[in-house]
Amino acid sequence: MSKPLNPETSFRSLLMGYEAVIGMEPLCNLASAHWTRLQKILKNFIIATVRKIMRGKSFTLLILFCGMLLALGMPLAAQGNQIILQLALPQFLQDVISDDLLTEFEAQNPGVQVRLVTAGNFLNSPAAGIETYLEGLAEYAASADVLYVSTDTLSIEGTRAGYLLDLSPLSSTDHSLNSEDFLPQAWQSVQWDRGVWALPVAVDVYLLIYNPAAFDRAGLAYPDPLWTLADFASAARALTTTDVNGETQAGFFDFGSSEYLFRSLLGAALVDPSAFPIQPDFSNPAIEELLTTWAELQEEGAVSGLGGGASIIAIGGNAESGPAMSIQQSFALANFSGPGGSNQLPAGTLLPGGTAGLQFQGFSISAGTEYPAEAYALVKFLSSSPGLSDRLFGAVPARRSLANVETPPTQGGGRGPRFAAINIALSPENQALVDEALSRALAYPELAFVDYMSRAFTLMQQQGLDARSALQEVEAEALNNLNIAAAARNEAPVVVATPVPDVVLRPGEIMLKFGMTSFITPLPNQADWEQLMAQFIANDPQVGQIVFNTAFNTSLSEMAEDFDCFYLPTNGLRGGDASSLISLDPFMDADPFFDKSDVIGSTLAQLQINNQTWAYPINIQPEVLRYNRELFAHAGITPPDQGWTSDAFADALRRLQDWTDKPPFIPRGFGDDYLLKLIAAYGGLPVDYRTNPPTVNFTDPTTVDAIRQVLDLAKEGLIDYSALAQPVGGGARIAMIGAAVGLEDTDAIYTHSLNQFNIFAGPGGQRGADSYQLAPYPTGSQYTPISYDIGTAYISANAQNPEACYRWLSEIARHPDLFSAMPARRSLINDPSLTVTQDASLIALYNQIDAQLSQSNIINLPASFGGGASANAFLRTWLDRAFDRYVLEDAELEAELAQAEVFTREYQACAEALPPIDTATTMEERIQYFQQYNLCATRVDASID
């Protein structure tokens, strides 16, 4: 007598049968689009049929349906002995899992293969929109068996929806798993509702980071963990300052992590202690007081931070220019090697209330996996892998046993971030603070629903609600969101997508490994790249596969080690080392579609060393200006469509001053780049980069006069001037990535770069094209200044098929629509493939810049990210300080420039005496070599230490 059929088992077998079907090659030569449609129809049909069967308890029909699949040749179980586990990571973390690490796991688990899957964008907070969050989590859970998770992505709402596997049945029976090996707060952070939802790998703490110098100037005692809400509010108000331009510097800057501060000040969780499963409870009167106080602080300008779509990047710390107070991870206390060191670092303490925020990173398992045991083995393996926490930027490993294990930066494999490029260390005092914070950190269940406080504050701002009404509304929203999540559990089950079959190369076919350095991942136009690769493979007689990877890496040698050919958004040859590359001249000379005279300006010459060409010019990325056409019309200013002189530029600023409540010209880039171009337009050249090494002449009368005219515009309030001179080591940098990431356009004129960041803004970065227009920098009678970087492509000296690489590079060069930058070849500017996707005014600007670059008086100044010789890193340190002292302190310009020139020339003499770097050295040795330039700077001028 046969056993009764278990409906859950049969349902799983059915879905396995479906997965086997959609993994088959398209039958009957169906077109790809039709095959994809057939897959979706089949999946929906199977799921709908199973639901009907399950509701009707008709197991006989279920058996018949399974038999039908068998008759069609669809297996009910995975074929073969090979199990493929898919591991999902965000694009920017793809390289943290090295090839060697995966090989080690596969060797320990015969018959199991691991494939990395690129995850999409980060999940939003459930408080910001439960439907969007659940939709994103369901898609994420369906993408792989094992999922990277963190405090920012894992939530009670997500586990309540049933998209993640409860690991407690596996972990509780795993006698080799020592739960006491995990830091207590890390282990507690993955447990709620009587389930275990992940295994943690790395942890870090959120602390109150403060600027001792700001407290000293305000005459305040440094922050204390015993601070109350009133103490914090009083300090934030006292630390708030207003500069000479009337701009307010808030006493507290919110980097988007103030919720940790809220929870610590409250002293209690926002949950009902008697409820199971976890339920929110916002009845604590202290919450209302906190929100009311926070609203008052924001209204007064004592609290500011993220808002308006601006993207803020905090890099390191600085005791002079950093925020007075903020909530940041322990990374903010790190000592970045370089002059200045520890005495310029900010300080930290526990959060007011005596706790710390905890961030964990780890791995969960999708509820839709077919291989829970194997997936659990992978999650456990990753949690016990030495060095992985470092590559996840964790402060410490989640496991105590890994705390002191020394590992190389990438653990082999040639993949993974090269963290040796940043020498990060904590002082003994700060390390003791982090250790104490870890023991007092709030585990995730203690932080549950705290994100709804930000939602309550938004309601107070947007709808004018008082704190109590806002809290009542968000508590109802939180409860409703939990109900929505619970209901999602009973909807369509999560099914992990079938792994994409390995490409089987035919005899004679080859694979190319192509890398692309991108500061934006995943690529917004990833589908366009994949389409071009498919077309190229279909038409190329040799290439059968292109493995395309993006990475945050601009090192020529490291990219050449990892890839056959690759693209950099900058000119990687500025350092003068081409030893890891193949010369492209033989390929270019034999290419009937490449004409060297077609390359714009001196672009090709900048890619040559010893009369050989080492990079393929793909695009150029000019620094330009963006102006508000409506404001220009109101002020009666002729638009600079055909360019403008320095006098016309200054006249426009003065006339615009009556039409805007802030300086008419807003620099949105880094450093003094914009000033050097304006100074050149007025006839000054303090640093002449046409020579090697650059010629320094700050005291030439014409240059002094040009500098004075430009800086006087800042002193008049026509330029939004900020201090340029920063300590050489460890400075805090808060950088806004311009309009490309959604910064609201309200400025009359601002600096803009036509680089790959602007892919966010649509074709050419022309966001708000109805109000704004692009223009070049003003020109002068003596010089036409311009800054641009070059998007470049290379062939590795290790490439087995350099001819195929060249064909691929030539192909991408003919598709300027893939890049939001100006083509490097004149013939492509007006190519139909570009003109149909770019605004006509942008094409006109490209032609205008092309004409400028052909002029004899062109001055090409280094772009913001243009790189350059190591010796040039500190070349303008003292020039910037002279600018600051003249504009901000009303110092005598000639005297400041004379002193700056003395320091700069002495620095150059020291730097030029250093021996050339050995290109065969390790990264650590290269960092040590660079420190010699730091030492040259500090020996010349001890005041920058």
Side-chain angles (χ1 to χ4, degrees):
M1 185 175 178
S2 61
K3 296 174 61 176
L5 185 64
N6 184 298
E8 293 185 5
T9 302
S10 300
F11 175 60
R12 182 172 295 276
S13 297
L14 254 172
L15 293 178
M16 290 173 67
Y18 153 72
E19 296 290 353
V21 172
I22 66 170
M24 296 168 58
E25 290 292 328
L27 303 176
C28 305
N29 297 318
L30 284 174
S32 176
H34 293 277
W35 180 248
T36 301
R37 186 179 304 169
L38 178 60
Q39 293 174 355
K40 293 180 179 179
I41 292 173
L42 180 58
K43 177 177 181 178
N44 293 336
F45 172 67
I46 291 176
I47 291 176
T49 302
V50 170
R51 285 178 180 166
K52 292 178 181 178
I53 293 171
M54 299 289 286
R55 283 196 296 266
K57 309 293 184 182
S58 179
F59 300 148
T60 301
L61 180 57
L62 179 60
I63 296 172
L64 291 174
F65 190 66
C66 292
M68 179 184 70
L69 292 180
L70 284 171
L72 290 172
M74 302 176 186
L76 293 180
Q79 298 300 304
N81 297 322
Q82 185 77 6
I83 291 175
I84 298 177
L85 288 179
Q86 299 181 90
L87 170 59
L89 291 165
Q91 179 70 48
F92 75 98
L93 289 178
Q94 283 286 296
D95 290 342
V96 305
I97 305 295
S98 69
D99 294 333
D100 285 358
L101 192 63
L102 296 182
T103 300
E104 181 182 350
F105 172 78
E106 291 168 355
Q108 295 177 12
N109 296 267
V112 180
Q113 179 185 351
V114 181
R115 289 188 187 172
L116 296 181
V117 174
T118 301
N121 295 326
F122 286 149
L123 300 173
N124 69 305
S125 165
I130 188 63
E131 289 84 3
T132 303
Y133 172 79
L134 291 178
E135 181 182 348
L137 182 59
E139 181 179 346
Y140 187 38
S143 69
D145 303 276
V146 175
L147 312 166
Y148 164 85
V149 292
S150 70
T151 311
D152 301 321
T153 57
L154 202 57
S155 73
I156 292 171
E157 292 89 344
T159 57
R160 198 72 57 87
Y163 296 149
L164 301 178
L165 189 69
D166 178 6
L167 306 187
S168 59
L170 294 164
S171 62
S172 62
T173 57
D174 181 3
H175 301 299
S176 66
L177 179 71
N178 180 13
S179 61
E180 294 185 357
D181 187 36
F182 291 98
L183 294 172
Q185 283 77 4
W187 185 241
Q188 294 165 16
S189 288
V190 297
Q191 297 181 80
W192 58 86
D193 288 347
R194 298 175 185 166
V196 176
W197 305 106
L199 291 187
V201 174
V203 293
D204 200 355
V205 287
Y206 279 89
L207 302 162
L208 177 63
I209 305 298
Y210 64 94
N211 183 333
F215 275 77
D216 293 342
R217 288 192 295 268
L220 295 177
Y222 296 152
D224 191 298
L226 297 179
W227 265 8
T228 64
L229 173 61
D231 295 326
F232 170 82
S234 176
R237 291 184 172 108
L239 292 164
T240 301
T241 60
T242 303
D243 62 20
V244 293
N245 296 321
E247 294 185 3
T248 298
Q249 180 76 23
F252 178 85
F253 190 92
D254 180 10
F255 285 100
S257 50
S258 60
E259 291 162 351
Y260 295 104
L261 174 64
F262 295 163
R263 170 60 184 83
S264 188
L265 285 169
L266 288 174
L270 282 68
V271 300
D272 183 348
S274 62
F276 174 83
I278 292 178
Q279 299 290 327
D281 180 3
F282 291 2
S283 61
N284 184 351
I287 307 177
E288 181 180 342
E289 179 188 4
L290 194 155
L291 285 180
T292 301
T293 301
W294 197 260
E296 294 171 350
L297 292 172
Q298 283 218 336
E299 181 68 24
E300 297 167 16
V303 166
S304 67
L306 298 180
S311 177
I312 309 294
I313 298 176
I315 307 175
N318 182 293
E320 292 299 324
S321 62
M325 291 192 296
S326 61
I327 307 298
Q328 298 186 58
Q329 293 173 249
S330 64
F331 184 82
L333 297 173
N335 182 7
F336 291 82
S337 51
S342 60
N343 66 339
Q344 294 177 348
L345 295 173
T349 185
L350 297 176
L351 302 179
T355 71
L358 185 79
Q359 185 196 58
F360 76 86
Q361 298 176 81
F363 294 92
S364 294
I365 298 177
S366 169
T369 184
E370 293 291 335
Y371 314 109
E374 290 78 8
Y376 174 76
L378 177 58
V379 169
K380 181 181 174 182
F381 173 83
L382 294 173
S383 76
S384 58
S385 298
L388 186 54
S389 64
D390 293 337
R391 300 198 296 280
L392 289 171
F393 291 99
V396 296
R399 286 180 178 264
R400 304 174 196 261
S401 57
L402 299 178
N404 298 312
V405 177
E406 295 290 336
T407 58
T410 63
Q411 198 168 329
R415 302 176 60 189
R418 274 72 178 181
F419 295 130
I422 306 175
N423 184 12
I424 299 176
L426 292 180
S427 67
E429 296 79 10
N430 285 334
Q431 185 60 59
L433 171 63
V434 171
D435 293 341
E436 181 183 9
L438 286 168
S439 68
R440 298 195 184 189
L442 295 166
Y444 172 73
E446 288 287 326
L447 295 163
F449 307 113
V450 71
D451 50 343
Y452 286 87
M453 291 186 64
S454 295
R455 168 66 178 155
F457 184 73
T458 299
L459 292 176
M460 293 171 65
Q461 287 184 310
Q462 295 180 351
Q463 299 183 17
L465 300 180
D466 59 33
R468 178 174 298 180
S469 300
L471 286 170
Q472 290 172 347
E473 186 163 335
V474 297
E475 183 173 358
E477 287 183 3
L479 287 167
N480 185 54
N481 287 349
L482 288 175
N483 291 332
I484 293 173
R489 180 184 290 269
N490 299 320
E491 296 177 1
V494 173
V495 179
V496 175
T498 301
V500 176
D502 289 326
V503 174
V504 179
L505 297 176
R506 297 183 179 90
E509 287 187 334
I510 63 168
M511 175 189 71
L512 291 181
K513 291 192 295 183
F514 176 66
M516 180 177 182
T517 294
S518 175
F519 304 115
I520 303 169
T521 56
L523 293 177
N525 62 345
Q526 182 78 24
D528 296 331
W529 278 93
E530 291 174 354
Q531 181 179 3
L532 180 63
M533 286 188 289
Q535 293 174 353
F536 178 81
I537 291 170
N539 296 326
D540 191 87
Q542 187 182 20
V543 178
Q545 182 185 12
I546 298 176
V547 177
F548 181 29
N549 284 307
T550 55
F552 189 77
N553 192 349
T554 58
S555 166
L556 276 179
S557 59
E558 290 167 0
M559 292 291 280
E561 178 185 347
D562 292 347
F563 303 105
D564 298 309
C565 37
F566 54 95
Y567 169 86
L568 299 182
T570 187
N571 178 8
L573 293 166
R574 289 181 183 271
D577 178 23
S579 60
S580 60
L581 307 173
I582 287 179
S583 170
L584 303 184
D585 292 298
F587 305 111
M588 290 177 171
D589 293 342
D591 184 355
F593 302 104
F594 186 85
D595 181 0
K596 292 185 177 181
S597 65
D598 187 36
V599 180
I600 293 172
S602 63
T603 300
L604 197 62
Q606 297 178 54
L607 307 181
Q608 294 175 336
I609 299 175
N610 297 329
N611 296 319
Q612 288 186 287
T613 307
W614 301 95
Y616 198 115
I618 302 295
N619 55 65
I620 64 176
Q621 303 153 24
E623 305 285 338
V624 295
L625 301 178
R626 212 160 182 248
Y627 68 93
N628 190 310
R629 293 189 296 189
E630 295 177 358
L631 283 178
F632 268 58
H634 290 318
I637 303 171
T638 302
D641 296 336
Q642 303 303 315
W644 46 0
T645 65
S646 55
D647 290 339
F649 173 76
D651 178 67
L653 295 184
R654 294 188 172 96
R655 294 166 69 178
L656 286 166
Q657 198 171 30
D658 296 330
W659 294 90
T660 179
D661 58 357
K662 52 187 173 180
F665 182 81
I666 309 293
R668 288 193 184 177
F670 295 88
D672 61 2
D673 296 345
Y674 74 99
L675 289 174
L676 291 186
K677 288 188 280 290
L678 293 178
I679 290 169
Y682 278 90
L685 211 60
V687 183
D688 190 348
Y689 286 95
R690 293 173 298 182
T691 63
N692 187 22
T695 299
V696 171
N697 191 348
F698 302 164
T699 55
D700 175 79
T702 302
T703 294
V704 173
D705 182 62
I707 292 174
R708 187 187 307 277
Q709 292 186 71
V710 172
L711 296 185
D712 281 349
L713 296 176
K715 296 182 78 169
E716 291 179 46
L718 301 176
I719 294 177
D720 185 24
Y721 187 94
S722 298
L724 298 168
Q726 300 286 355
V728 178
R733 305 291 187 266
I734 302 175
M736 291 191 177
I737 308 297
V741 293
L743 191 63
E744 183 181 359
D745 284 332
T746 60
D747 304 328
I749 308 172
Y750 62 85
T751 58
H752 189 71
S753 178
L754 295 175
N755 58 33
Q756 68 182 47
F757 283 114
N758 299 310
I759 200 166
F760 277 122
Q766 283 286 57
R767 203 175 54 79
D770 56 334
S771 301
Y772 280 82
Q773 191 73 38
L774 294 172
Y777 272 79
T779 62
S781 58
Q782 186 171 358
Y783 300 125
T784 296
I786 193 169
S787 291
Y788 68 92
D789 207 347
I790 311 171
T792 49
Y794 307 82
I795 300 178
S796 168
N798 298 323
Q800 298 297 310
N801 298 279
E803 296 85 357
C805 269
Y806 181 83
R807 293 196 300 271
W808 169 239
L809 300 185
S810 177
E811 181 70 18
I812 66 173
R814 289 196 293 270
H815 288 80
D817 52 302
L818 291 174
F819 306 90
S820 60
M822 175 178 169
R825 288 155 63 184
R826 191 172 295 106
S827 59
L828 293 174
I829 292 178
N830 300 299
D831 187 271
S833 65
L834 187 65
T835 56
V836 297
T837 60
Q838 305 277 23
D839 186 90
S841 62
L842 189 63
I843 301 299
L845 177 68
Y846 289 166
N847 284 296
Q848 187 177 0
I849 291 174
D850 175 29
Q852 281 188 345
L853 289 172
S854 300
Q855 297 176 11
S856 59
N857 68 341
I858 190 74
I859 295 295
N860 186 12
L861 296 163
S864 299
F865 295 102
S870 299
N872 296 340
F874 308 115
L875 195 62
R876 304 201 299 261
T877 298
W878 297 275
L879 180 65
D880 287 345
R881 188 167 67 183
F883 291 170
D884 287 349
R885 289 176 175 174
Y886 177 71
V887 175
L888 303 177
E889 303 173 19
D890 204 26
E892 183 183 355
L893 181 61
E894 287 84 351
E896 292 296 333
L897 289 174
Q899 182 62 73
E901 183 172 300
V902 171
F903 282 140
T904 306
R905 290 185 183 277
E906 290 178 358
Y907 165 76
Q908 276 192 306
C910 177
E912 290 171 14
L914 295 177
I917 187 171
D918 181 0
T919 58
T921 58
T922 66
M923 173 62 73
E924 183 177 356
E925 290 170 329
R926 290 199 295 270
I927 295 298
Q928 292 175 353
Y929 175 82
F930 182 74
Q931 295 307 307
Q932 298 179 80
Y933 295 105
N934 296 21
L935 292 174
C936 281
T938 55
R939 287 170 183 168
V940 165
D941 181 8
S943 68
I944 67 173
D945 189 0

